[in-house]
C-alpha cells in the first residue's frame, strides 16, 4: 500500500531539513497499491477495456488509468488487427514488478537496471515516450516533495551497446534527459531536468535509484508531465520511477 510517512512538522526520507507545512501529511505513492492486475509476465501497460477511440491506421486506442496513493497514472493502449494477426502497443506510464536487469526481449522494456523498486520493493513505474502524465488527486493540488528515478534496461542497452536505431554513447554531447514538468492549480508551470545518461569526456549515467527533489514546484501541483530530450531520435525514451512523495493537507 502507499505509505503515509509523517504528520505536522515531521518529515521523512532525507527531508528533515525541509519540513512540511503544519497540518500536512506525506503519502508515498509506491506502486504497491495499484488498482490494476499485472499480467503473468509481470507488467501492466493498459488494456482493451471501456470505450476505445478509432485511429487513422485502423487501431483502437484505450485511455487507461491506474491509481497509487494520491496519484493517477495514465497510459494509452492501442490494438490493431491485420490479416488475422493482432498487434498492440502503448505509451504513457506502465506498472512493472519484473526483476530482470537487461534487455533480451521486448518484454524486457519493463525492466530497470536495479531489478526491483526502491529498497527492494516489488512494483515500480515505467515511463515510455514524451507527454506521459500523472494526475494529483488532491483538490487545489499538493506538493510533490521528491521522486525516485532509475534507468530502464532498454535505454541502457542503447547507451552501452547501441542498436540499429542509435549507436552507443561514445561522443561528446550524446545524452538522454528526463524532463519533469509540473502544472499548478493556477495554470503556471515549472520543470526540472534529470540526466539519465550523458557522454562528455567519459560516459556517466544513473546506476541505481536516484532521489530527485521536486519541492521547488510548490504546494499546488495538479499534474506531472514527463518529456525527454536526446541527441538522437533513435534513443529509446524510457525511464523508471518509484516512491513519489506527495505532501497534502
Amino acid at each position: 500500500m502507499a505509505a503515509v510517512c509523517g504528520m505536522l512538522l515531521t518529515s521523512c526520507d532525507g527531508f528533515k531539513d525541509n519540513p512540511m507545512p503544519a497540518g500536512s501529511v506525506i503519502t508515498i505513492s509506491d506502486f504497491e497499491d495499484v488498482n490494476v492486475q499485472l499480467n503473468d509476465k509481470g507488467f501492466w501497460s493498459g488494456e482493451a477495456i471501456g470505450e476505445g477511440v478509432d485511429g487513422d491506421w485502423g487501431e483502437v486506442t484505450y485511455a487507461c488509468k491506474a491509481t497509487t496513493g494520491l496519484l493517477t497514472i495514465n497510459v494509452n493502449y492501442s490494438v490493431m488487427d491485420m490479416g488475422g494477426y493482432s498487434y498492440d502497443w502503448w505509451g504513457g506510464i506502465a506498472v512493472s514488478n519484473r526483476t530482470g536487469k537487461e534487455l533480451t526481449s521486448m518484454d524486457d522494456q519493463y525492466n530497470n537496471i536495479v531489478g526491483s523498486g526502491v529498497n527492494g520493493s516489488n512494483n515500480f513505474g515505467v515511463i515510455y515516450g514524451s507527454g506521459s502524465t500523472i494526475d494529483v488527486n488532491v483538490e487545489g493540488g499538493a506538493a510533490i516533495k521528491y521522486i525516485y528515478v532509475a534507468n530502464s534496461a532498454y535505454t541502457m542497452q542503447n547507451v552501452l551497446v547501441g542498436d540499429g536505431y542509435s549507436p552507443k554513447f561514445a561522443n561528446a554531447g550524446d545524452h538522454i534527459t528526463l524532463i519533469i514538468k509540473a502544472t499548478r492549480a493556477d495554470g503556471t508551470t515549472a520543470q526540472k531536468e534529470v540526466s539519465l545518461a550523458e557522454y562528455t569526456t567519459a560516459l556517466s549515467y544513473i546506476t541505481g535509484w536516484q532521489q530527485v527533489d521536486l519541492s521547488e514546484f510548490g504546494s499546488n501541483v495538479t499534474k506531472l508531465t514527463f518529456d525527454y530530450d536526446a541527441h538522437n531520435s533513435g534513443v529509446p525514451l524510457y525511464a523508471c520511477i518509484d516512491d513519489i512523495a506527495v505532501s497534502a493537507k
Side-chain angles (χ1 to χ4, degrees), residues 96-181:
S96 174
N97 65 10
R98 291 173 61 87
T99 58
K101 302 178 184 180
E102 298 178 348
L103 180 75
T104 58
S105 73
M106 281 309 297
D107 288 339
D108 296 337
Q109 67 180 299
Y110 303 98
N111 294 0
N112 67 52
I113 63 171
V114 181
S116 70
V118 172
N119 295 323
S121 64
N122 292 320
N123 293 356
F124 54 91
V126 181
I127 307 169
Y128 171 48
S130 288
S132 303
T133 60
I134 293 177
D135 298 318
V136 180
N137 302 321
V138 178
E139 184 176 359
I144 310 298
K145 304 298 286 185
Y146 58 81
I147 187 173
Y148 277 85
V149 176
N151 268 307
S152 77
Y154 199 166
T155 298
M156 286 311 303
Q157 174 79 5
N158 178 264
V159 169
L160 297 174
V161 180
D163 55 31
Y165 299 100
S166 179
K168 71 177 183 178
F169 286 24
N171 299 298
D174 291 355
H175 72 281
I176 178 170
T177 302
L178 178 68
I179 303 169
I180 306 174
K181 177 182 175 181

Side-chain angles (χ1 to χ4, degrees), residues 8-115:
L8 301 178
L9 296 181
T10 302
S11 60
C12 65
D13 231 4
F15 277 81
K16 293 180 181 179
D17 297 326
N18 186 17
M20 296 178 290
S24 294
V25 175
I26 281 189
T27 300
I28 308 297
S29 294
D30 57 10
F31 295 89
E32 303 300 322
D33 62 335
V34 288
N35 62 337
V36 292
Q37 183 68 45
L38 278 61
N39 63 24
D40 58 3
K41 296 180 179 179
F43 62 85
W44 175 87
S45 54
E47 51 200 318
I49 292 180
E51 185 175 350
V53 176
D54 294 334
D56 295 336
W57 302 338
E59 79 279 13
V60 181
T61 298
Y62 299 85
C64 302
K65 300 178 180 294
T67 60
T68 174
L70 297 174
L71 305 178
T72 295
I73 63 174
N74 300 293
V75 59
N76 289 323
Y77 174 77
S78 299
V79 61
M80 179 170 60
D81 292 322
M82 283 186 64
Y85 293 93
S86 180
Y87 301 89
D88 65 346
W89 61 93
W90 66 284
I93 301 175
V95 183
S96 174
N97 65 10
R98 291 173 61 87
T99 58
K101 302 178 184 180
E102 298 178 348
L103 180 75
T104 58
S105 73
M106 281 309 297
D107 288 339
D108 296 337
Q109 67 180 299
Y110 303 98
N111 294 0
N112 67 52
I113 63 171
V114 181

Side-chain angles (χ1 to χ4, degrees), residues 222-235:
T222 58
K223 181 171 72 172
L224 295 175
T225 302
F226 299 88
D227 293 317
Y228 293 91
D229 178 72
H231 70 282
N232 187 318
S233 61
V235 176

